[in-house]
Amino acid sequence: MTYELEELEGHEHLVSRVKHHDGLECDACDRLNVDGYSCSECKFNIHVACTFVFDKQEIVDHPSHDGHSLKLLTTGAPDHTDPKCHLCGNNTKRLLFHCSVCQLNLDIFCIADHLLGPEYLNMPWHPHPLLCFDFGSRNWCDFCNENYEGQGYLCYRCGLRIHEKCVVELQEITQHPSHVRHPLKLLTSGAPNYTNPRRHICGEDTGNLLYHCDICKFNLDLQCAIKSSPPVALSNMKVHEHTLTLMPKLISFVCDACGTKGDRSPYICVQCDLMTFHQKCARLPRVIHVNHHDHRVSFKYPLGPGDWRCGVCWDEIDWSYGAYSCSLCSRYAIHSLCATRDDVWDGEELDGVPEEIEDIEPFKRNDDNTIDHFSHRHNHMSLDKGGEESSFCKACAHPIGSSSSLYKCSECSFILHETCANLPMKKRHFLSPQPLTLSYHRLQRRWGVEICEACQQIFCKGFIYSSYLEENFDLPCSSITVPFIHGSHDHHLLYLKLENGNVKTCQGCGIDEKRVAIGCTKCNYFLDFRCATLPLTVTLSRYDDHPLTLCYGDEKASGKYWCDICERETNPKTWFYTCNDCGVTLHVLCVVGDVRYAKPKAMIEYYIELLSNNSSSRPFCHNCYCRCPGPFILRIRKQHDAHLGGEYYIFFCSYYCYIITKSKKEYSKIKLRCPPWRSGHQSQLMELQNDQ
């Protein structure tokens, strides 16, 4: 977040006040903090706490360089000089002090003691001099990990920040349950170099404040030492019948509950020949529901002989360790860690909870062999064969073929494919750890419900599966099962939830995916859900004699390919549709558009009507001014002003052209795809995707 320009005392240029939630890297101290300044002229960032360097632009009495003056530079070491600090040998940052006579540089750390000397305070509990410091609301205390305002202390050398009121709690621990042999001393400048910098109990980095035993080289952070010390013993656990004892030391082991390695502080069972457990695995649930399987699964140790593969990651399971298995499906098992992932398990322990049998039938069958379907107000839908040429299934919006089995209403035009009519009311699916519920989407009056969370595409009226968190998934995406077999790749594909900035490029369209994907990690092959669910064959009215087939690109293609619909160049290395008889190539978006469940007269957001683009005259798009070449045209009714009266229509060639005229909030969850006929607009698309 950047604010208006303001003056920074001691600096010649105006600077911007910056607050960065992930941390702003300072060009003076080389540490991260949320609050600082940025100078666009000098290209530097500086924390608020480091602005003292501008108090003295020139130093003439520094003890390490007597006789010459040292001047502050804000643009880094001059090109003709050694960028390393003359005193400590470390590389300097953009902010440094420089002697033009000797052509040497000093970093801010080495100059700080001289600048701050009169303001320093010496405290018995910290080895470095400290500054009085006003926390404000954006700085966090290293002791209590809270950011309430108040006075405290700051160490410029090691970055320690601590509230004044928290200092009274800093004291030596004479005997801790996790380390009873020796007292633990409080350290405030990080773990000593001779020890493992990670905490002995939980494995996280220790930070500045920690408790330490210099005899055993044992480190304990404040969380494990004071706030939530792990129990020394665990009894009545779900995965083991005996009491487990904590072994608080660095030790390599293989966890008997999950079969993976650990390197510190396991729980052990003395009665069972020192069976070992990760601290997390010692608390594993016994009976759970996972979203990759219809039945409950239970923890079993050992899993037992056999060729087992995990139902989530599809890697081999070592049967000599613990895993989760299904009592009803004799060959189904899951790794312990895969089964208890946040995106697989809903967090509920079901041990001792009776299993209820839910009615998931979507209809009631009548005596006359008709059905009363939940999605339709009329009863007695009858089973039939084949439909009219212009009829569409109300669930999936696909045309009803002449040989399709279907249910149709005798009182109106409501039709369902037999397979769509039989979709279960509830099911478990890898897209959500909670069960998904089937509903008939009728354009609810709320923004966001018309977007599939998997393919991130807008959709019209049709069947959707929803989680209790109101995440909606269309039928193509919620019908994918894993392992997913796709004709574009030799190996099966698995579901991937992308987190922590992990980005995958879709092999079908070449667009980066930041949320969820289907892929083969061994081959680095990934598809987004839109490309993974593209129809293999499509029939268009202008090519009704020949079906169009999805082609997975041709890496060896040479020469230029042109789309027969929009008459723009196609990239043969990405996916396209082709006719095996005519040899034409067609952009994917020119064939299927960018709206799910699209059919003639379908509505988006109540006021946008879809029209088939099959007439001889095509309107101009209100945004890009192209003749609309896509499969559907978006039509919006507008009212003239009171003076002119009446109404008129405006048209858009695609949902993309419509939505980019709106605010970023309205398309933040949609994966935008620029139509290929909008030549020259790709840079705009890249800018919009970066904003997302």
Side-chain angles (χ1 to χ4, degrees), residues 360-365 371-374 407 418 421-422 425:
I360 61 173
E361 290 295 325
F363 56 77
K364 175 186 175 184
R365 191 173 296 279
I371 63 170
D372 299 339
H373 202 273
F374 85 95
Y407 282 98
E418 183 181 14
N422 282 281
M425 289 298 297

Side-chain angles (χ1 to χ4, degrees), residues 481-536:
T481 58
V482 290
F484 181 53
I485 307 300
H486 197 276
S488 65
H489 193 62
D490 294 335
H491 305 145
H492 63 253
L493 308 180
L494 299 176
Y495 169 70
L496 300 171
K497 187 173 183 180
L498 306 178
E499 298 175 315
N500 301 321
N502 190 11
V503 176
K504 303 298 182 184
T505 302
C506 175
Q507 300 292 326
C509 61
I511 299 177
D512 287 345
E513 176 56 52
K514 304 175 183 178
R515 300 180 185 175
V516 292
I518 293 285
C520 173
T521 55
K522 294 180 180 178
C523 302
N524 202 31
Y525 185 92
F526 305 99
L527 299 176
D528 61 21
F529 272 77
R530 182 257 195 176
C531 289
T533 55
L534 285 173
L536 301 182

Side-chain angles (χ1 to χ4, degrees), residues 179-217:
H179 197 74
V180 296
R181 290 186 296 170
H182 310 121
L184 297 177
K185 298 178 181 178
L186 176 70
L187 302 183
T188 59
S189 55
N193 294 331
Y194 58 80
T195 69
N196 189 313
R198 292 165 59 200
R199 309 166 189 172
H200 279 55
I201 299 294
C202 63
E204 300 292 333
D205 289 337
T206 52
N208 289 313
L209 287 172
L210 70 149
Y211 284 94
H212 174 72
C213 173
D214 52 13
I215 299 176
C216 303
K217 302 179 181 179

Side-chain angles (χ1 to χ4, degrees), residues 326-344:
C326 177
S327 60
L328 300 178
C329 305
S330 59
R331 301 307 305 163
Y332 189 83
I334 311 176
H335 287 122
S336 298
L337 298 184
C338 290
T340 52
R341 276 172 22 191
D342 290 340
D343 62 333
V344 175

Side-chain angles (χ1 to χ4, degrees), residues 461-611:
K461 188 175 178 180
F463 280 12
I464 60 172
Y465 277 99
S466 305
S467 72
Y468 86 96
L469 296 176
E470 298 184 356
E471 297 174 314
N472 297 322
F473 306 99
D474 60 30
L475 289 186
C477 293
S478 59
S479 298
I480 291 181
T481 58
V482 290
F484 181 53
I485 307 300
H486 197 276
S488 65
H489 193 62
D490 294 335
H491 305 145
H492 63 253
L493 308 180
L494 299 176
Y495 169 70
L496 300 171
K497 187 173 183 180
L498 306 178
E499 298 175 315
N500 301 321
N502 190 11
V503 176
K504 303 298 182 184
T505 302
C506 175
Q507 300 292 326
C509 61
I511 299 177
D512 287 345
E513 176 56 52
K514 304 175 183 178
R515 300 180 185 175
V516 292
I518 293 285
C520 173
T521 55
K522 294 180 180 178
C523 302
N524 202 31
Y525 185 92
F526 305 99
L527 299 176
D528 61 21
F529 272 77
R530 182 257 195 176
C531 289
T533 55
L534 285 173
L536 301 182
T537 59
V538 179
T539 301
L540 297 182
S541 56
R542 71 179 73 178
Y543 304 104
D544 53 1
D545 292 335
H546 307 140
L548 303 175
T549 305
L550 182 62
C551 180
Y552 304 128
D554 184 1
E555 291 290 337
K556 300 179 181 179
S558 60
K560 292 187 175 182
Y561 288 66
W562 299 89
C563 175
D564 196 57
I565 292 179
C566 71
E567 299 179 350
R568 301 298 200 279
E569 188 175 355
T570 61
N571 180 1
K573 296 183 180 180
T574 59
W575 293 5
F576 56 88
Y577 281 96
T578 185
C579 176
N580 295 328
D581 295 316
C582 304
V584 297
T585 57
L586 309 167
H587 291 117
V588 168
L589 198 143
C590 291
V591 174
V592 301
D594 59 356
V595 178
R596 295 278 200 168
Y597 294 161
K599 59 180 180 289
K601 298 184 179 180
M603 300 295 293
I604 304 173
E605 300 181 70
Y606 289 100
Y607 58 90
I608 306 175
E609 183 181 9
L610 295 185
L611 304 177

Side-chain angles (χ1 to χ4, degrees), residues 1 19-23 34 138:
M1 184 183 299
K19 290 183 182 293
H20 200 294
H21 291 283
D22 296 328
V34 295
R138 303 299 302 171

